[in-house]
Amino acid sequence: MTDKSAPTYITGRIVRTDLDGDDPNAAAEAMIVEDGKITAIGSKADVAKPAGAQAVDIPDGWVLPGLIEPHSHPSAAAFQLSYNVIDIRPVTLFTADDVWAAIKKQVAAKSDPKATDRWVFANGWDPLLQKGLTEPNIQELDKISPDVPLLIAHNSGHSIYFNTACAEYCKITKDTPDPPGAKYGRDANGELNGIGYEAGAVLSIAQPFLSSLADKMPQIFMAHLQGLQKKGITTIADLGWTAQFNPLAQGLQKAGGGVLPVRLRAYELSNPGAKPSLPLANGDDWFKQIGIKIISDGSPWVGNIATSFPYLTNAATKAIGLEPHHIGKANYTKEQMLALAEQYAGDGWQLATHSHGDVAVDLTIDTYEQVIKKHKLKDHRFRLEHCGLMTPEQFKRAHSLGITTSLFVDHITYWGEVLEDDLFGKERGGAWADAGTATDAGIAVTFHNDGTVTPCEPLRNMAVAETRTTRQGRKLSGGKGVTRDVSLRGHTANAAWQLKGENEIGILKEGNYADLTVISVDPRKAKPEDLATANVLATAHAGVVTPT
């Protein structure tokens, strides 16, 4: 650790990613850091070592602004990736047999009356990639686990499956009203069928189990944040924040002497009639709540994104429980969406809305437009999240209103073939998460991994945004790739701007924090496939370098 009372003189191969018109690929060789912020940056000839400064040379790798994950769910992911939960994600287990074997093994272990935490939580169900899985109902899950609560979260996070013991544990019955923007599945007789759809239902089922680990959550959450730092992340946005996590984050920050392993920006989940749990002016440069999250539709993998056209009808869509020619619907009506937005936007909160289908995108843009005009909002930076089937015309309209987008391009890596062959066809599925067209429309796009849905891999996001190529080597038939300049900004400068932090992070310039990520390849010149698999060698916050 460096002595913060003295300047630090950092040297190495430094890539700035400016937003101010300078060459974004211009390399620097040296920077001076005082009180955690850059006071000079440039060539060694222009930026000399100050007298008494501590020298920190980074001889290996290339230095980037600290990588920013603008849309994730670390508060939930910390629990979902902990030892308490079975990881059945398709990036971990590849077949239906593997999934069921892992679940049944844990049920057997937890059926022992002496077992602690007598419940089984599996996370990552995905019949589109784990061929042979079919949507389970409550009777099937009761046979597997008649006494121990069993819940299985879909990899998308937009649906969850549960047995009778779980329903009883969570105090959910056939008479329990559906949460706003969500629902509990019911059979023809009105009985629970063991499926919860959308965030409100998923949280109501998962929350009691999360709460049972309250005393362990500080260690679980800290370990997760430390793991993110090792992947090169220096700032992360949590778009599933709830009030219960405020004291957790604040407690960890206090225990760490005011710092965290990564800077944390929270977007609290919206709720009809609710108010934010923190005032608009809150927190500091390490932790603050800056926005509100709305979920206008669901996940493509479970059939509940709002589109103007049907899903394909085939074996794959049948396996995820869709009727022929199925068309998904939005979670809210126009009136409900507007009421949600009005609860927060007039007070100055930034809105970020999950919108995948073209109908959901229109609904969100329409809502934003009304709120912007009513309150005469200027620098609102309202966000559209994921934007799988957003069209060129919608990107142009969004930009004209000052709306920005964060695209889930890593869907292409893992589900590219599924999008084209199984769900939407080549014309629509092939244009999924169209970062190049968004950029052409003038939008400062960003990329993300959305918590546990895909591994935290910002460098791979940059590569796939350029190539639009799946891990099996297929280049999608539609959409446009971006330049390397744009791909680098997607997790640095653009992401900082979306989080209203361009004068703090994301760009290596005078006045900003010296938050850095050091990677093993030249990010300006490496082939996309080499950028995707580059090693993270170190990170730094405020000029304090930590090897990974």
Side-chain angles (χ1 to χ4, degrees):
M1 301 240 338
T2 56
D3 179 4
K4 290 188 178 181
S5 64
T8 303
Y9 184 64
I10 298 176
T11 54
R13 293 172 287 194
I14 302 169
V15 181
R16 297 165 54 95
T17 69
D18 297 80
L19 274 181
D20 58 7
D22 292 342
D23 179 0
N25 291 329
E29 300 173 304
M31 69 176 77
I32 299 171
V33 180
E34 299 183 64
D35 295 325
K37 294 189 175 182
I38 300 168
T39 56
I41 182 169
S43 68
K44 289 181 180 178
D46 293 334
V47 180
K49 178 185 175 185
Q54 301 180 71
V56 176
D57 185 43
I58 304 176
D60 300 321
W62 282 259
V63 179
L64 281 168
L67 297 179
I68 301 166
E69 168 61 279
H71 181 130
S72 191
H73 300 274
S75 55
F79 169 69
Q80 290 172 299
L81 295 177
S82 71
Y83 63 90
N84 303 282
V85 176
I86 314 168
D87 186 357
I88 61 168
R89 293 176 299 162
V91 297
T92 305
L93 301 179
F94 307 113
T95 70
D97 288 343
D98 292 338
V99 170
W100 283 122
I103 291 172
K104 290 175 180 178
K105 179 179 179 181
Q106 188 74 341
V107 168
K110 294 296 184 178
S111 295
D112 184 341
K114 297 179 181 179
T116 58
D117 299 330
R118 291 194 71 234
W119 43 265
V120 176
F121 194 149
N123 177 69
W125 180 274
D126 189 344
L128 290 167
L129 293 182
Q130 296 158 328
K131 302 294 185 182
L133 291 179
T134 56
E135 193 168 56
N137 59 40
I138 199 166
Q139 290 82 13
E140 293 167 336
L141 296 181
D142 284 348
K143 288 180 181 178
I144 293 169
S145 184
D147 302 312
V148 175
L150 169 61
L151 57 160
I152 304 172
H154 193 279
N155 193 44
S156 67
H158 285 263
S159 63
I160 196 165
Y161 310 104
F162 56 92
N163 67 350
T164 298
C166 177
E168 291 172 350
Y169 186 94
C170 299
K171 297 181 173 57
I172 296 171
T173 72
K174 67 177 183 179
D175 299 318
T176 302
D178 289 336
K183 67 177 182 179
Y184 303 111
R186 294 175 170 83
D187 63 20
N189 297 318
E191 301 289 341
L192 294 173
N193 68 1
I195 308 174
Y197 299 97
E198 288 306 318
V202 172
L203 286 173
S204 70
I205 295 163
Q207 191 64 52
F209 302 96
L210 177 62
S211 298
S212 73
L213 298 175
D215 60 329
K216 301 175 183 176
M217 278 307 294
Q219 294 82 8
I220 292 172
F221 195 35
M222 178 61 81
H224 184 67
L225 295 181
Q226 290 169 339
L228 292 170
Q229 184 185 30
K230 291 181 182 297
K231 293 179 182 294
I233 300 297
T234 58
T235 298
I236 193 165
D238 191 315
L239 276 85
W241 198 255
T242 58
Q244 76 174 99
F245 291 112
N246 289 332
L248 174 62
Q250 293 159 354
L252 289 178
Q253 189 177 358
K254 182 177 180 180
V259 305
L260 292 166
V262 299
R263 301 186 194 275
L264 186 58
R265 299 292 178 264
Y267 289 74
E268 188 170 352
L269 282 172
S270 63
N271 197 20
K275 291 293 184 182
S277 60
L278 293 174
L280 187 62
N282 71 85
D284 57 23
D285 290 346
W286 283 98
F287 166 67
K288 69 177 70 171
Q289 180 174 317
I290 65 172
I292 300 295
K293 169 74 173 298
I294 299 173
I295 305 175
S296 70
D297 68 350
S299 165
W301 323 130
V302 296
N304 57 348
I305 66 172
T307 60
S308 60
F309 50 85
Y311 277 70
L312 301 179
T313 298
N314 52 37
T317 51
K318 183 178 180 181
I320 61 174
L322 305 187
E323 296 294 329
H325 313 296
H326 170 83
I327 298 179
K329 299 184 183 300
N331 294 334
Y332 301 104
T333 65
K334 290 182 178 180
E335 293 75 19
Q336 289 169 334
M337 274 285 287
L338 183 58
L340 265 181
E342 282 285 359
Q343 284 173 215
Y344 306 101
D347 293 332
W349 288 99
Q350 183 190 25
L351 301 180
T353 303
H354 168 122
S355 306
H356 256 312
D358 60 328
V359 169
V361 170
D362 271 339
L363 174 62
T364 302
I365 296 176
D366 288 346
T367 301
Y368 283 172
E369 183 174 24
Q370 291 183 69
V371 172
I372 291 166
K373 290 181 177 178
K374 177 178 178 180
H375 297 285
K376 298 182 172 63
L377 301 177
K378 299 297 183 184
D379 190 22
H380 51 79
R381 305 189 200 185
F382 287 172
R383 297 172 49 172
L384 281 159
E385 306 301 305
H386 308 324
C387 312
L389 291 169
M390 192 165 173
T391 67
E393 293 74 20
Q394 289 174 328
F395 283 120
K396 292 176 183 176
R397 184 181 171 213
H399 179 61
S400 73
L401 293 166
I403 299 167
T404 185
T405 62
S406 189
L407 305 183
F408 200 163
V409 292
D410 214 18
H411 275 165
I412 296 169
T413 304
Y414 297 96
W415 290 274
E417 288 82 5
V418 168
L419 288 163
E420 289 194 339
D421 299 344
D422 296 337
L423 299 185
F424 304 114
K426 291 186 179 296
E427 180 181 355
R428 294 188 174 102
W432 191 264
D434 193 349
T437 297
T439 302
D440 288 348
I443 295 174
V445 296
T446 67
F447 316 124
H448 59 260
N449 290 112
D450 201 23
T452 64
V453 177
T454 61
C456 182
E457 45 190 13
L459 299 175
R460 186 175 300 280
N461 287 345
M462 295 177 189
V464 75
E466 291 181 44
T467 67
R468 300 187 59 78
T469 301
T470 74
R471 60 179 172 171
Q472 297 180 35
R474 181 192 294 189
K475 182 177 175 61
L476 292 196
S477 56
K480 295 179 65 175
V482 300
T483 64
R484 180 59 56 87
D485 171 21
V486 172
S487 72
L488 290 177
R489 291 174 183 239
H491 275 290
T492 57
N494 290 356
W497 180 85
Q498 279 190 352
L499 300 182
K500 297 190 173 183
E502 69 272 20
N503 292 317
E504 301 170 357
I505 55 176
I507 313 164
L508 299 181
K509 66 178 184 179
E510 294 179 10
N512 274 16
Y513 284 110
D515 287 6
L516 315 170
T517 299
V518 185
I519 65 174
S520 60
V521 301
D522 185 342
R524 301 160 299 170
K525 300 176 182 178
K527 295 178 181 178
E529 58 269 26
D530 294 331
L531 179 61
T533 57
N535 294 320
V536 175
L537 305 178
T539 61
H541 282 105
V544 179
V545 179
T546 304
T548 58

